[in-house]
């Protein structure tokens, strides 16, 4: 079996990937895409190269030198790095002039092509983490009431339309009105903003974008997501079943039950 590279962004997903690879006996190496990511993963890794997300050429060169032919991208990389003054290399400079816009799908598509041109295959995240995908149906004990269910159905359809535009994966709804849509600020900030506008009983819906590439950025929720909802008086978290990772399923169920949140896969 070939050696696998783990390209790690923020969050717990990279650690889950590493543990799954270890359990499967797969030889692997980890590259961190930020100093904070390296600090989090270093206790679990030996050698841990650190690069900016914009140093695409250096990442590829390091992988090839290590004999890696397959990689898994895992964790969050903030898109605003493209707007900041971070170090980047000639490869990224070339890709910037190649893409027509900076939507996630466009940027990651260009990066995928660059990896493949260098003989490196990018694996689907679901190939490694399939057991963490959300099941369909109720996860917490409390089911949504009639109004919440109507908001879920209303919001899910709109979220899919927004996803087609590659804007975000999360929408917050109250009384069949959109309170907030996730954009560059990320899920937690969108939840806080939307729940505050709703004042109470906000419904949070997280979906997979239509045509989203399973090799990058599978929607993910965990206790922190539920805590953000609870802290801002939201009452429902509905995620797309079979397309959303749940970090710490049992912990999430317990937290949702303890805080009266209806948590379900749709």
């Amino acid at each position: 079996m070939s050696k696998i590279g783990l390209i790690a962004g923020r969050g717990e997903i990279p650690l889950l990937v590493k543990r799954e690879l270890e359990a499967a006996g797969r030889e692997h190496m980890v590259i961190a895409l930020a100093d904070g990511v390296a600090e989090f993963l270093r206790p679990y890794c030996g050698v841990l190269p650190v690069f900016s997300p914009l140093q695409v050429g250096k990442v590829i060169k390091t992988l090839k030198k290590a004999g890696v032919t397959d990689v898994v991208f895992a964790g969050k990389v903030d898109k605003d790095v493209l707007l900041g003054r971070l170090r980047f290399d000639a490869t990224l400079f070339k890709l910037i002039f190649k893409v027509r816009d900076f939507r996630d799908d466009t940027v990651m598509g260009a990066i995928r092509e660059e990896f493949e041109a260098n003989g490196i295959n990018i694996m689907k995240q679901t190939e490694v983490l399939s057991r963490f995908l959300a099941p369909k149906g109720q996860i917490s004990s409390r089911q949504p009431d009639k109004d919440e269910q109507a908001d879920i159905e209303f919001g899910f359809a709109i979220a899919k339309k927004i996803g087609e535009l590659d804007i975000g994966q999360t929408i917050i709804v109250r009384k069949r009105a959109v309170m907030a849509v996730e954009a560059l600020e990320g899920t937690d900030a969108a939840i806080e903003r939307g729940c505050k506008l709703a004042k109470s009983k906000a419904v949070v819906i997280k979906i997979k974008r239509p045509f989203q590439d399973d090799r990058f950025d599978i929607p993910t929720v965990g206790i922190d997501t539920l805590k953000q909802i609870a802290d801002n008086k939201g009452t429902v978290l509905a995620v797309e079943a079979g397309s959303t990772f749940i970090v710490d399923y049992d912990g999430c169920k317990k937290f949702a039950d303890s805080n009266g949140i209806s948590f379900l896969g749709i």
Side-chain angles (χ1 to χ4, degrees):
M1 291 186 290
S2 62
K3 186 176 185 180
I4 294 178
L6 168 55
I7 314 298
R10 291 191 297 104
E12 296 180 67
I13 290 294
L15 185 55
L16 294 184
V17 171
K18 179 172 174 54
R19 286 173 171 165
E20 292 296 292
L21 292 174
E22 288 172 344
R26 296 299 302 268
E27 185 183 5
H28 61 281
M29 70 171 296
V30 183
I31 292 178
L33 294 182
D35 291 333
V37 173
E39 184 178 350
F40 173 67
L41 291 175
R42 193 160 277 121
Y44 311 98
C45 301
V47 177
L48 184 59
V50 184
F51 296 105
S52 157
L54 307 184
Q55 293 178 299
V56 177
K58 290 186 178 180
V59 170
I60 290 173
K61 183 178 179 180
T62 300
L63 292 168
K64 291 177 73 174
K65 186 177 179 181
V68 170
T69 56
D70 295 279
V71 299
V72 181
F73 278 77
K76 189 72 175 174
V77 175
D78 296 323
K79 197 164 76 171
D80 60 3
V81 298
L82 293 171
L83 308 176
R85 292 188 174 184
L86 292 180
R87 57 194 186 276
F88 62 92
D89 59 19
T91 301
L92 194 280
F93 191 75
K94 176 186 71 175
L95 294 179
I96 285 176
F97 282 94
K98 231 173 106 176
V99 300
R100 64 185 181 276
D101 55 54
F102 290 122
R103 294 186 302 162
D104 289 347
D105 290 345
T106 304
V107 173
M108 297 315 295
I111 290 174
R112 184 197 70 237
E113 290 174 4
E114 189 66 26
F115 271 71
E116 291 174 347
N118 281 274
I120 300 174
N121 170 60
I122 300 177
M123 300 169 61
K124 292 182 178 181
Q125 295 179 3
T126 49
E127 290 182 59
V128 184
L129 298 177
S130 60
R131 72 186 184 93
F132 293 93
L133 289 170
K136 190 173 182 66
Q138 201 65 34
I139 296 170
S140 66
S141 298
R142 186 177 81 79
Q143 296 189 3
D145 64 25
K146 184 178 178 181
D147 286 339
E148 291 168 338
Q149 185 60 44
D151 279 346
I152 291 170
E153 294 170 5
F154 169 85
F156 183 82
I158 292 180
K160 281 294 185 181
K161 290 293 185 183
I162 291 168
E164 288 177 4
L165 300 174
D166 195 13
I167 294 173
Q169 299 171 326
T170 305
I171 186 171
I172 298 86
V173 174
R174 171 73 167 123
K175 292 186 176 179
R176 270 70 75 204
V178 176
M179 300 290 106
V181 174
E182 177 190 9
L184 194 63
E185 81 276 33
T187 302
D188 287 350
I191 289 173
E192 181 178 4
R193 178 163 52 89
C195 286
K196 284 182 177 178
L197 287 169
K199 295 187 172 32
S200 65
K201 292 198 71 175
V203 170
V204 177
I205 300 156
K206 195 169 186 74
I207 56 96
K208 176 184 174 183
R209 297 191 308 273
F211 315 116
Q212 182 169 325
D213 194 329
D214 284 350
R215 289 169 284 198
F216 308 107
D217 194 24
I218 298 293
T220 302
V221 297
I223 291 176
D224 287 346
T225 315
L226 290 161
K227 188 175 187 304
Q228 193 73 8
I229 294 170
D231 288 348
N232 291 284
K233 300 180 181 178
T235 55
V236 175
L237 174 59
V239 300
E240 187 168 0
S243 300
T244 307
F245 291 138
I246 299 178
V247 178
D248 188 3
Y249 180 96
D250 292 338
C252 285
K253 183 180 186 309
K254 182 178 179 181
F255 183 92
D257 286 339
S258 298
N259 289 273
I261 296 173
S262 181
F263 181 25
L264 65 156
I266 53 176

